[in-house]
Amino acid sequence: MIRLDEVSKTYAGTAEPAVAALTLDVPRGEILVLVGPSGCGKSTTLRLINRMIEPTGGRILFDGRDVTRVNPDELRRHIGYVIQQIGLFPHRTIADNVATVPKMLGWDRSRIRARVDELLDTVGLDPSIYRNRYPKELSGGQAQRVGVARALGADPPVLLMDEPFGAIDPITRDRLQNEFLRLQADMQKTIVFVTHDIDEAIKMGDRIAILRDGSAIAQVDTPQRILALPIDDFVQDFIGSGAALKGLNFERVRDLTLGDFPHVRHDAGHAKAIQILDGSRQQWMVVLDAHERPLRWVNRTDIDRSDRRLTEVGQAVRVTVEPNATLHDTLEAMLNSSVGAAIVTDARGRYQGVVEIEVLTEAISRMRTEARAHYASLGLSTADAPGLAPYAPPALDGTS
Ligand code: ADP
C-alpha cells in the first residue's frame, strides 16, 4: 500500500540528512510502527509520506502509484493524520473539527452531519453530548478520540499517527490503545504509527521498524521476532531488559501442548491418589471436585494424612488460567501459586492441564529458533548470540 523507495530528506542548513535513503514497504491493512530514539527521523519520515515535507530524494508510492509529484492537498485527502495534543482547531466545535475533510471534499450538510455522528460514536463519544462542545471542554483522552475521528473523516485508506497517545496519563493511554486496536480490527486501515516508546510499539505494531539516526532501519519485523532475536546491540539496548518476558505476551496457553499432570477426583480415595502420584514424576497433584474443577494442590505428605479428606489437605488452588491467557499471564499465575505451576481450566472452570515453568522456557527457546530460521530463510546469518546481520531492504519487485 505504501512504498518508500530510497527516500531522503536533508533540511536546509543542516549537514546530516534527517532521513537517508529509506526503503520500506507497508502492506495494506498493517500497522507499521516506527520507533527509535528522539531525533532519529521518525516524524520527518511520517511527514514525508503525506508530503507535509518535500523529500530531497527518492520516491513515494501509494498503491503502486508514484505520488512524489502529485498535488499534496489531493494526496492528504486520502491520508488521515493524527498528532499529539495540538491537533484540534480550538475555535471550532467538535463536529466542525471532525468534519474538516468531508467539508473540503464538498459533501452536503446532511451527509456531513451523519458522518460526524457516526465517527463520534465509533470513537466512543456520544454525539448528542459532544457534537457542539469545543476542544477546551474535553479531557486529554476525549480530545485524542476526536483527533482520531477527524483523521477518519472521509474514510481514508491510510492513517499516519505521530505519538497519538503520547501526552496522556498511562491508564487512559492503555484504554485508548485498546480501543484503537479494536477499531482497527474492523477498519483494516494501513497505518504508520510513530512512537519513542518500545512497549507501545510492541503493543500496537503488526510490525515494528526500529530506527537509528537518519531513519536507518536497524531491524524491521514482527514484535515477536524482534523480541525473540534482537539483531544487534543497538536493538537489544533499545528494547531494554525483559525482552524474553515481553515475548511471552505473544504466545497463548492454547498453543501449548499440556503434559500429563497427576490429578484425582476428591472422592477417589487416598489409595488411588497415592497410586497416581507415585506413578508420576511429580511432587504434587491436583484434587478436582465432582465437576472436575480444581480444588487443591496436594503432595505425598498431605495425602498420607488418611484421617483428613483430600478436600481438606494441601493448598487451595487460588489462581487458574484459561486457554486464551498469554504466557505472560500464565507466568504471573505460576508466581502466585504455592507450587510454581499454573492450572489451566476451560471456560466452565473444568481442569484441562497444568503449565510448568519448563514449558515457558521451551516456548521462549522455540520463539528464538523460529526467528533464527526465519532470518536464515532470508539469507541473514544470526549467530547464537544476537547476530550482527545487517538489515536487508525489501526487494522492490514486490517479492519481499
Ligand atoms: P524524531 O521524530 O525521531 O524525534 P525528527 O524527524 O523530528 O525526529 O527529527 C530528525 C532530525 O531532523 C533531528 O536531528 C531534528 O533536529 C532535525 N529536524 C527536524 N525538523 C527540522 C527542521 N524543520 N529543520 C531542521 N532540522 C530539523
Side-chain angles (χ1 to χ4, degrees):
M1 182 74 200
I2 305 172
R3 167 163 295 183
L4 304 184
D5 178 14
E6 305 251 321
V7 172
S8 297
K9 174 68 188 179
T10 304
Y11 287 106
T14 60
E16 296 299 317
V19 175
L22 173 63
T23 294
L24 190 62
D25 274 334
V26 193
R28 193 182 306 280
E30 175 178 279
I31 303 183
L32 174 76
V33 179
L34 305 180
V35 63
S38 172
C40 73
K42 303 178 296 290
S43 295
T44 302
T45 304
L46 208 64
R47 290 177 173 149
L48 286 167
I49 296 175
N50 68 359
R51 303 255 318 280
M52 287 170 70
I53 306 175
E54 293 297 334
T56 325
R59 292 188 309 158
I60 298 158
L61 291 92
F62 265 73
D63 224 356
R65 187 168 77 110
D66 188 344
V67 295
T68 328
R69 308 272 168 265
V70 308
N71 175 352
D73 285 337
E74 157 65 20
L75 185 64
R76 270 172 237 142
R77 286 174 196 169
H78 303 286
I79 303 178
Y81 187 52
V82 188
I83 51 176
Q84 192 184 111
Q85 285 240 308
I86 42 158
L88 301 179
F89 304 118
H91 304 299
R92 294 194 200 159
T93 63
I94 300 312
D96 283 342
N97 266 284
V98 174
T100 307
V101 176
K103 271 187 185 158
M104 257 163 54
L105 294 174
W107 291 15
D108 66 50
R109 281 176 57 177
S110 63
R111 185 176 172 204
I112 290 178
R113 191 185 156 99
R115 180 67 180 154
V116 166
D117 285 2
E118 180 191 13
L119 284 166
L120 288 177
D121 256 339
T122 304
V123 298
L125 295 173
D126 181 346
S128 67
I129 297 174
Y130 293 99
R131 203 191 284 126
N132 297 318
R133 287 206 184 171
Y134 286 87
K136 67 171 190 304
E137 300 169 300
L138 301 180
S139 72
Q142 290 165 342
Q144 224 34 42
R145 288 192 177 94
V146 174
V148 171
R150 186 178 63 179
L152 294 171
D155 203 15
V158 171
L159 276 186
L160 306 179
M161 307 182 80
D162 195 345
E163 302 259 5
F165 311 129
I168 291 168
D169 68 89
I171 293 168
T172 311
R173 187 179 198 207
D174 195 54
R175 192 181 319 139
L176 287 176
Q177 289 168 339
N178 294 338
E179 280 174 18
F180 188 77
L181 287 172
R182 266 198 300 277
L183 201 59
Q184 165 66 357
D186 290 335
M187 304 188 299
Q188 302 276 307
K189 302 283 182 201
T190 305
I191 299 171
V192 185
F193 188 112
V194 162
T195 179
H196 63 273
D197 174 355
I198 185 68
D199 290 317
E200 183 168 62
I202 291 167
K203 179 169 179 182
M204 302 303 287
D206 294 310
R207 283 191 312 149
I208 302 176
I210 298 187
L211 305 177
R212 351 169 165 255
D213 274 355
S215 250
I217 295 175
Q219 187 170 8
V220 56
D221 214 327
T222 59
Q224 294 94 309
R225 274 202 288 265
I226 290 181
L227 290 171
L229 203 60
I231 209 150
D232 62 16
D233 291 346
F234 176 84
V235 175
Q236 178 101 63
D237 288 349
F238 194 75
I239 294 173
S241 57
L245 219 49
K246 289 172 188 168
L248 291 177
N249 279 312
F250 292 96
E251 292 267 318
R252 291 184 188 268
V253 170
R254 60 166 176 263
D255 304 324
L256 302 173
T257 334
L258 298 181
D260 204 17
F261 199 88
H263 56 280
V264 67
R265 272 268 297 259
H266 72 102
D267 52 3
H270 290 64
K272 181 76 181 164
I274 289 170
Q275 184 199 343
I276 295 172
L277 184 58
D278 286 355
S280 79
R281 58 179 177 89
Q282 300 290 346
Q283 310 283 320
W284 294 83
M285 70 189 304
V286 185
V287 176
L288 310 179
D289 73 7
H291 303 283
E292 290 181 47
R293 290 176 302 213
L295 285 179
R296 322 261 325 160
W297 287 106
V298 296
N299 62 19
R300 181 62 198 259
T301 320
D302 300 325
I303 307 173
D304 279 343
R305 302 180 60 176
S306 52
D307 56 322
R308 306 274 299 273
R309 294 175 210 249
L310 289 177
T311 53
E312 293 167 345
V313 293
Q315 317 266 347
V317 170
R318 284 191 307 268
V319 273
T320 59
V321 293
E322 289 190 15
N324 67 352
T326 67
L327 297 196
H328 194 275
D329 294 340
T330 307
L331 177 61
E332 179 76 20
M334 280 178 195
L335 296 175
N336 284 313
S337 141
S338 37
V339 307
I343 298 179
V344 183
T345 60
D346 66 11
R348 293 159 84 180
R350 288 176 305 204
Y351 173 84
Q352 302 286 300
V354 168
V355 183
E356 296 169 86
I357 196 79
E358 296 79 25
V359 176
L360 296 194
T361 329
E362 280 160 22
I364 290 172
S365 141
R366 178 163 35 78
M367 287 185 253
R368 291 220 171 103
T369 309
E370 281 168 10
R372 213 168 275 137
H374 171 79
Y375 287 119
S377 76
L378 296 177
L380 294 174
S381 77
T382 45
D384 276 343
L388 289 165
Y391 167 70
L396 280 176
D397 57 5
T399 57
S400 64

